[in-house]
């Protein structure tokens, strides 16, 4: 009888609720993994004008005005971003940010933190072999060891673990990537001063600091974790919320760094559907709404406390 149930299924999302294939209703605590649905399923605000944009052409493979408008919104909101490049997922954002950091510094190694998730590109899929700093083990089958040999893993909230790695790999570390508010190992808060120390130390060593704000961006507050903690990383990665439920990611930073990306510079990065007007429209709708209604963040926090 399964096919009959399927016939009558009404699988859908509605605001904060989910209705499954069998018609059961749930509160949706997943929210498409932490952000894209900040306004809930089927939000009129998010969908406003999207059909019209789609009818005029869903993708051109070239920039349209609405991409520029969304880019400007992001630049205005995130203190560390002067220039931004749209991609189609958080994975692409972090992957491209690392390529950029390696080109800018002309160094190869990167440091990530145990427990932080940065999407599924090969060189970021790594777990720490606790203490075995040179003997990294991939977290996923299919990731060759030589691909992750330049990925070093430090301990979150432990600045000494970072310094040890940097000292063991003198003048070889291009970037440190971190979720300033890790949401992928349970919710772990950075210890007082940890992020500030990391910022000061990376500056001193000429290492780029990358904030992966794919979840925290526009979620912890309109300006993300950088704004909340008053820290300016060199590159910020965004995703989830900025697409309003469509596949979008972005990475941005100082002009001097971002200008290395093609066509201005020699760091290749492209995406057939990246910056398409439909995704840009939904993202823009959501960001405009958040910007105009800052109370949303207080409301969200009160809901989280209740839960
Ligand atoms: C979700 C997430 C990513 C990956 O984004 P995708 O759009 O799933 O590729 C990267 N970093 C963080 C912190 C995330 O939460």
């Amino acid at each position: 009888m399964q096919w009959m149930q399927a016939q009558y299924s009404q699988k859908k999302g509605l605001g904060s609720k989910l209705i499954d294939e069998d018609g059961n209703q749930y509160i949706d605590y997943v929210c498409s993994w932490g952000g894209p649905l900040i306004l809930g399923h089927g939000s009129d605000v998010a969908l406003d004008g999207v059909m019209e944009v789609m009818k005029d052409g869903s993708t051109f493979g070239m920039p349209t005005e609405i991409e520029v408008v969304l880019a400007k919104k992001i630049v205005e909101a995130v203190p560390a971003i002067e220039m931004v490049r749209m991609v189609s997922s958080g994975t692409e954002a972090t992957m491209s940010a690392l390529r950029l950091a390696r080109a800018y510094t002309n160094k190869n190694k990167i440091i990530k933190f145990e427990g932080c998730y940065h999407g599924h590109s090969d060189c970021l899929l790594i777990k720490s072999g606790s203490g075995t700093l040179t003997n990294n083990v991939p977290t996923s089958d299919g990731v060759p060891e030589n691909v992750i040999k330049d990925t070093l893993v430090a301990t979150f909230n432990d600045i000494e673990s970072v310094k040890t790695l940097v000292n063991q790999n003198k003048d070889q570390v291009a970037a440190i990537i971190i979720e300033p508010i890790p949401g992928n190992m349970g919710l772990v808060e950075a210890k007082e001063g940890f992020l500030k120390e990391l910022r000061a130390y990376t500056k001193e060593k000429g290492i780029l600091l990358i904030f992966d704000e794919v979840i925290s961006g526009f979620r912890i507050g309109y300006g993300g974790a950088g704004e909340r903690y008053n820290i300016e990383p060199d590159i910020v990665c965004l995703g989830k919320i900025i697409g309003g439920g469509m596949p979008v990611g972005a990475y941005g930073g100082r002009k001097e760094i971002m200008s290395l990306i093609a066509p201005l510079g020699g760091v290749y990065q492209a995406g057939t559907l990246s910056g398409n007007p439909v995704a840009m429209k939904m993202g823009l709708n959501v960001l405009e709404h958040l910007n105009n209604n800052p109370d949303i963040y207080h409301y969200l926090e009160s809901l989280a406390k209740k839960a």
Side-chain angles (χ1 to χ4, degrees), residues 50-296:
V50 170
M51 246 356 251
E52 284 72 19
V53 168
M54 196 178 276
K55 280 181 189 155
D56 286 342
S58 62
T59 176
F60 298 93
M62 284 181 277
T64 57
E65 186 186 7
I66 191 159
E67 180 181 0
V68 178
V69 175
L70 181 60
K72 280 187 174 157
K73 276 258 165 286
I74 292 173
V75 168
E76 278 164 26
V78 184
I81 298 185
E82 289 175 3
M83 250 177 135
V84 64
R85 169 64 63 92
M86 299 295 176
V87 289
S88 293
S89 69
T91 296
E92 277 184 78
T94 57
M95 185 177 78
S96 312
L98 289 181
R99 185 181 304 140
L100 176 60
R102 283 169 161 155
Y104 181 80
T105 57
N106 209 11
K107 293 170 187 168
N108 281 340
K109 301 207 169 169
I110 54 157
I111 294 178
K112 75 176 286 291
F113 292 87
E114 186 176 3
C116 284
Y117 180 67
H118 303 293
H120 65 87
S121 64
D122 282 352
C123 75
L124 287 166
L125 277 182
I126 183 170
K127 88 181 162 201
S128 143
S130 105
T132 56
L133 301 173
T134 49
N135 194 16
N136 291 333
V137 184
T139 297
S140 168
D141 291 348
V143 176
E145 292 198 4
N146 66 347
V147 171
I148 47 127
K149 73 180 191 323
D150 288 329
T151 308
L152 312 168
V153 181
T155 307
F156 195 82
N157 271 335
D158 180 357
I159 192 77
E160 289 310 318
S161 75
V162 174
K163 291 183 179 173
T164 303
L165 287 176
V166 171
N167 288 332
Q168 286 173 345
N169 297 274
K170 267 205 172 19
D171 297 325
Q172 296 177 67
V173 179
I176 297 181
I177 185 165
I178 188 168
E179 281 181 87
I181 304 172
N184 287 292
M185 53 169 164
L187 195 56
V188 176
E189 212 175 337
K191 271 198 299 214
E192 171 102 32
F194 173 63
L195 293 172
K196 282 221 150 69
E197 269 183 281
L198 196 58
R199 174 65 287 188
Y201 183 68
T202 45
K203 219 169 226 168
E204 179 195 320
K205 294 288 177 185
I207 296 168
L208 293 190
L209 180 61
I210 304 173
F211 271 11
D212 179 352
E213 296 226 46
V214 171
I215 284 190
S216 57
F218 296 93
R219 172 61 184 83
I220 186 75
Y222 193 68
E227 178 193 63
R228 156 129 351 173
Y229 297 127
N230 192 21
I231 295 174
E232 278 198 18
D234 299 293
I235 302 176
V236 181
C237 300
L238 298 165
K240 298 198 165 96
I241 287 187
I242 62 162
M246 293 292 280
V248 181
Y251 61 109
R254 288 200 305 282
K255 210 173 248 178
E256 163 215 4
I257 300 173
M258 292 301 289
S259 303
L260 295 187
I261 303 168
L264 290 179
V267 179
Y268 185 76
Q269 185 269 301
T272 301
L273 292 164
S274 294
N276 75 76
V278 180
M280 297 295 100
K281 176 66 178 162
M282 272 184 84
L284 184 62
N285 284 345
V286 171
L287 292 201
E288 276 177 342
H289 188 74
L290 294 173
N291 193 22
N292 295 335
N293 299 277
D295 279 351
I296 283 181

